Amino acid sequence: MSARTLPLLFLNLGGEMLYILDQRLRAQSIPGEKARKAKTQRLFVFAVMNDIITTMFNKKFMEELFKPQELYSKKALRTVYDRLAHASIMRLNQASMDKLYDLMTMAFKYQVLLCPRPRDILLVTFNHLDTIKDFIYDSPGIMNQVDETFRRLIDTYSCLSDGEFQLIRQTLLIFFQDMHIRVSIFLKDKVQNSNGRFVLPISGPVPWGTEVPGLIRMFNHDGDEVKRTEFTTPGNYVTPQREGSFGLYGDRVLKLGTNMYSVSRPVETHMSGSSKNLASHAKENIVPNPLAKEELNFLARLLGGLEIKNPSGSDTGFRLNLFTTDEEEEHAALTRPEELSYKVINIEATQEPGRREELSCILGELEVAEPRPASSGKGEDLLALMDAL
C-alpha cells in the first residue's frame, strides 16, 4: 500500500462530485424564495459551488490530507464526502447521496483502469483541478487555494519514480476492486457489462515513451541487434504525438478526468446486488418509455426541488434530488443493499467465564461501534477538520 495515495483519491473523487452537482444544480429548478435570494439560477449554482470548493481546498484541510498515511476506510471516506457535499445550503438525503457517491467512484475507477501509464494518474488529477478552476474563475481567493493545491501536487509527486506510481495505482485498484455498480452512461457507451465490470479497449494510443507492439528484436551478448521478427496484433495501436504537461498550466493531452457530463445524456446507477432490481431495470430497458426518455435528458433530469421545512423556522437550505422523482428516491432508500447500511451493534461484555471466548468469536465477524479515539490516523483528523470548517 502506498502512503501517497490519499490526496489523489480525494481530489479526483471530489472533482467528479463537483461535475455531477454542477449539472444537477443547473438542471433542477430552484425554489422561488431561494432563487430570489440568489437573483438568478446561475448565481445560485455559483454560490453553492464556491462554498463546496472553498471547504474542499481549505489550507489546513490540505495540509492534513497530504501527510503520508494509509487510505481511510470506505465508510470514513464516504463520511468526508457527505459532509463536504453539505458544506453549502444544498441538502441531499441518504438515497441521493448514495447515488452521487456511486457515480463518483465508478467514474474514477474507470479512469484509473484506462490510464496508459501509472504516472498518468497525476494528469487525470490535473484535469479535474483544471475544470474546477473553471467553476470559480470569478473568485480569485478560491482560485489561489486551488493553485496552492496544484503546487503541493507538483512538489509531492513530480519526484516519485515509476515504481512508486505503480504502487499508487495498485492501491487505488485495491480500494475499488469490490465496487461493481452499473452506470447507464457507461452501459450506453458499451464500456461496462451488465454485471458492472468494465470493458477495457485493446486499441488506441500506447503509453508515452513506448513503441507500437508488433516487432520483436533479438540481441547478442554484446548488445548488438541480430534479428527482427514481426507479428500481428489484435488491436490498432498508435503512437502519442506528445506527452501531457505536468506543470501548473499546459495541455494535459490525456482526456481522462475531464467533465464527461458536459454532453447531454441520461446517467443512472443500478446496484448489482439485487436480482429483483436488475430484472425490473432490464425490463425497463427492453421497453423504454418515450416520455421518460424525454424527461431524463441528462443525468435523469430532476424534478421537484422542494425546500426542507425546519420546525424551528431556521433556514436549512434546499434539497437536491439525484433521482427522476421523489418516489424513485424513496424506493432506492427502501431497497438499499444491506452491506451499505450503517448500523451500530451494541454488545454487553461481562466477566462471566466463557463469555470472553464467545465475545471474541462475535468480534471476528461484526464491526463493533466503539468510542472514537482522539486521533487514530484513519480518518478522524480529516473529519474533525471538516466539522471545524
Side-chain angles (χ1 to χ4, degrees):
M1 300 284 286
S2 172
R4 293 291 187 184
T5 308
L6 183 60
L8 299 179
L9 178 63
F10 175 81
L11 292 172
N12 284 287
L13 287 180
E16 290 298 324
M17 181 183 74
L18 291 170
Y19 294 169
I20 298 166
L21 291 180
D22 176 69
Q23 177 57 36
R24 300 276 170 103
L25 284 168
R26 296 178 187 278
Q28 178 165 325
S29 58
I30 298 172
E33 182 62 27
K34 297 298 177 184
R36 283 193 294 273
K37 288 182 180 179
K39 303 297 184 181
T40 64
Q41 180 168 341
R42 175 183 171 278
L43 291 178
F44 177 83
V45 174
F46 185 76
V48 171
M49 298 294 285
N50 274 15
D51 289 343
I52 296 176
I53 295 173
T54 299
T55 304
M56 179 177 173
F57 290 94
N58 178 272
K59 184 177 181 180
K60 292 183 179 180
F61 188 77
M62 286 292 113
E63 288 175 354
E64 183 66 33
L65 182 72
F66 273 82
K67 292 179 180 178
Q69 55 194 300
E70 294 182 2
L71 284 184
Y72 298 157
S73 67
K74 290 182 174 64
K75 287 186 178 180
L77 193 64
R78 160 63 190 270
T79 304
V80 171
Y81 286 109
D82 198 323
R83 298 181 185 179
L84 182 62
H86 293 90
S88 68
I89 62 173
M90 178 191 67
R91 293 295 176 265
L92 296 90
N93 68 10
Q94 190 68 56
S96 288
M97 189 65 209
D98 288 342
K99 185 170 185 178
L100 173 63
Y101 192 71
D102 290 342
L103 290 170
M104 293 161 47
T105 52
M106 294 308 291
F108 184 46
K109 177 181 179 179
Y110 185 56
Q111 293 160 13
V112 173
L113 289 171
L114 285 189
C115 274
R117 303 174 301 172
R119 184 177 295 274
D120 289 335
I121 294 174
L122 192 55
L123 290 178
V124 175
T125 309
F126 287 168
N127 276 334
H128 279 111
L129 295 189
D130 287 338
T131 309
I132 289 173
K133 289 170 70 173
D134 292 338
F135 292 146
I136 50 161
Y137 63 90
D138 282 340
S139 302
I142 309 176
M143 185 80 74
N144 289 336
Q145 291 180 237
V146 180
D147 283 340
E148 180 62 29
T149 302
F150 250 116
R151 297 184 182 93
R152 285 181 182 272
L153 285 169
I154 294 172
D155 293 342
T156 303
Y157 294 96
S158 60
C159 59
L160 298 187
S161 65
D162 291 335
E164 289 173 305
F165 272 106
Q166 174 64 16
L167 185 58
I168 289 174
R169 183 176 185 272
Q170 290 298 325
T171 304
L172 289 171
L173 292 177
I174 290 172
F175 180 84
F176 289 123
Q177 65 180 347
D178 296 325
M179 299 181 181
H180 306 293
I181 302 160
R182 300 167 68 238
V183 180
S184 67
I185 193 172
F186 295 136
L187 294 172
K188 292 178 185 297
D189 290 343
K190 301 186 184 303
V191 298
Q192 191 180 32
N193 292 324
S194 59
N195 60 4
R197 298 182 183 273
F198 288 110
V199 179
L200 301 182
I202 59 172
S203 300
V206 298
W208 174 259
T210 62
E211 298 181 2
V212 174
L215 179 65
I216 299 174
R217 297 187 181 94
M218 283 164 277
F219 301 84
N220 59 21
H221 62 280
D222 294 325
D224 299 325
E225 183 178 330
V226 296
K227 185 180 179 181
R228 288 190 174 193
T229 303
E230 295 184 357
F231 63 94
T232 58
T233 59
N236 182 21
Y237 302 99
V238 295
T239 304
Q241 296 181 351
R242 62 188 182 281
E243 185 180 21
S245 171
F246 286 90
L248 185 60
Y249 305 100
D251 184 6
R252 313 301 177 189
V253 178
L254 194 70
K255 299 304 179 184
L256 297 174
T258 55
N259 192 350
M260 68 176 179
Y261 304 103
S262 59
V263 179
S264 292
R265 48 184 173 178
V267 175
E268 296 174 343
T269 56
H270 308 294
M271 299 302 300
S272 57
S274 172
S275 58
K276 180 179 179 180
N277 287 346
L278 286 179
S280 63
H281 285 304
K283 183 177 180 180
E284 290 174 2
N285 290 335
I286 294 174
V287 186
N289 185 339
L291 293 177
K293 291 179 67 176
E294 192 67 20
E295 291 172 353
L296 289 175
N297 189 24
F298 177 75
L299 294 175
R301 180 183 295 274
L302 303 175
L303 302 177
L306 302 177
E307 288 192 72
I308 296 178
K309 300 289 186 179
N310 192 325
S312 62
S314 60
D315 189 5
T316 60
F318 82 102
R319 179 171 66 89
L320 179 64
N321 182 2
L322 272 78
F323 292 83
T324 309
T325 63
D326 290 339
E327 290 75 15
E328 182 183 346
E329 186 178 48
E330 293 172 0
H331 176 73
L334 293 174
T335 58
R336 194 165 181 246
E338 190 68 23
E339 62 268 18
L340 292 181
S341 298
Y342 301 96
K343 295 182 178 179
V344 177
I345 302 171
N346 296 316
I347 299 178
E348 181 183 356
T350 68
Q351 300 297 327
E352 296 178 7
R355 288 299 299 275
R356 291 184 179 179
E357 290 75 13
E358 179 183 352
L359 183 59
S360 298
C361 296
I362 295 175
L363 291 175
E365 299 176 357
L366 302 178
E367 182 177 349
V368 182
E370 298 179 351
R372 181 184 293 175
S375 176
S376 65
K378 294 295 183 181
E380 286 77 5
D381 293 336
L382 278 185
L383 291 175
L385 271 176
M386 188 71 73
D387 288 336
L389 297 178

